[in-house]
Structures are given as C-alpha cells and as structure tokens.
Amino acid sequence: MGVDQDHLTSSRIMVTVGGNRVDEETVRLACRMAKARSGKLYAVHIIEVNRALPLSAPVEEAVRHGEEVLDAVEQLASEAELAVETEMVQARDTGPAIVGEAEEWGAELIVMGLPYKRRFGEFNLGRTVPYVLKNANCRVLLYREKLS
C-alpha cells in the first residue's frame, strides 16, 4: 500500500522549536512542506516554568534564548521565501502547551524535531513527544536527528 502524499503535507503546519541542534533541519522540512501546499507555517517555542514560580514569572534568560530561537526560525523561513508566525509560550508542561497551541491555531500537522537522547544508556523519547502523540487531534511528524 502506498503512502498518500496528500496527507504528508498540510496547509496549516505548526513546527516546535526548543533550541536544539535538530531545529534547523526540522524548520527547513516544515518550510518545504508548507511551501509545497502554499500553506501557513506557525513556529512555537515553549518555556517551561518551574511549578515553584508563578506561571507569569519573569524568566528573562529563557525569554532571551526563546527570542534567539524564534529569530533563527524567521531567518530560515525568509530564506525559503515563506511567511511564518512565531509564538513564545510560558507553560508548566511542554506537551500540553504544544497540543493546546495546535488546537487553538487549527494546525493540520505538528512537526517536531527530536534530539537523540539517551537515558540509562537507552534511547529515550522524554515526556513531551509521547504526550503530543497521544493527545494531539491532528497529524504529528517526528524528525529525529541523526546519530553523531
């Protein structure tokens, strides 16, 4: 059975960026997919706020880092001649924030970069990816970085 190419590209694509090495390749992929369908691209960076702090706590260093990450997304989208809407969100947990942003924006596809992480010597997806895969009401595409 062949893969239906129509479902691999959507017109409302949300890409998540966390400031990881895999972000650039992930954003380039999302740009190519959005451009192929004359779609819209929305990039989201989530700042996880420690539960000991108020959700609206000023986390200046994290905000500065997030602005750099989103500036890089805007540069990559510009190189691809594609408009991008960016958003930085402060939340308690990244997974629910991603799912909420996707629903609010009406995303048809979430593109997530996945750094290759090990925990206790084994490959580990972390908490965010399984949450998004389980709870997103749209398609989710994972792009795992190559092994170094």
Side-chain angles (χ1 to χ4, degrees), residues 16 26 98 110-114 128-129 132 140-144:
T16 63
T26 306
I98 290 170
I110 300 170
V111 180
M112 298 178 69
L114 180 63
T128 301
V129 168
V132 173
V140 178
L141 178 69
L142 294 179
Y143 184 83
R144 196 207 79 200

Side-chain angles (χ1 to χ4, degrees), residues 85-135:
E85 184 180 338
T86 61
E87 187 74 38
M88 192 174 344
V89 177
Q90 287 187 205
R92 295 288 182 211
D93 292 303
T94 302
I98 290 170
V99 170
E101 284 295 306
E103 287 175 6
E104 189 176 307
W105 189 67
E108 296 170 54
L109 174 68
I110 300 170
V111 180
M112 298 178 69
L114 180 63
Y116 192 91
K117 293 185 280 189
R118 289 183 180 271
R119 187 163 185 223
F120 306 117
E122 293 290 320
F123 173 69
N124 186 283
L125 289 173
R127 290 187 347 253
T128 301
V129 168
Y131 184 92
V132 173
L133 289 173
K134 182 178 180 183
N135 295 287

Side-chain angles (χ1 to χ4, degrees), residues 49-116:
V49 179
N50 186 307
R51 293 192 186 282
L53 298 171
L55 192 53
S56 61
V59 282
E60 288 151 20
E61 188 58 39
V63 168
R64 195 168 16 263
H65 173 71
E67 287 171 348
E68 291 171 6
V69 169
L70 293 174
D71 285 348
V73 170
E74 289 174 350
Q75 179 62 40
L76 290 167
S78 174
E79 290 170 14
E81 299 175 348
L82 189 66
V84 62
E85 184 180 338
T86 61
E87 187 74 38
M88 192 174 344
V89 177
Q90 287 187 205
R92 295 288 182 211
D93 292 303
T94 302
I98 290 170
V99 170
E101 284 295 306
E103 287 175 6
E104 189 176 307
W105 189 67
E108 296 170 54
L109 174 68
I110 300 170
V111 180
M112 298 178 69
L114 180 63
Y116 192 91

Side-chain angles (χ1 to χ4, degrees), residues 3-16:
V3 175
D4 183 353
Q5 292 295 318
D6 206 41
H7 292 303
L8 291 179
T9 55
S10 297
S11 56
R12 291 182 70 82
I13 298 172
M14 184 175 104
V15 61
T16 63

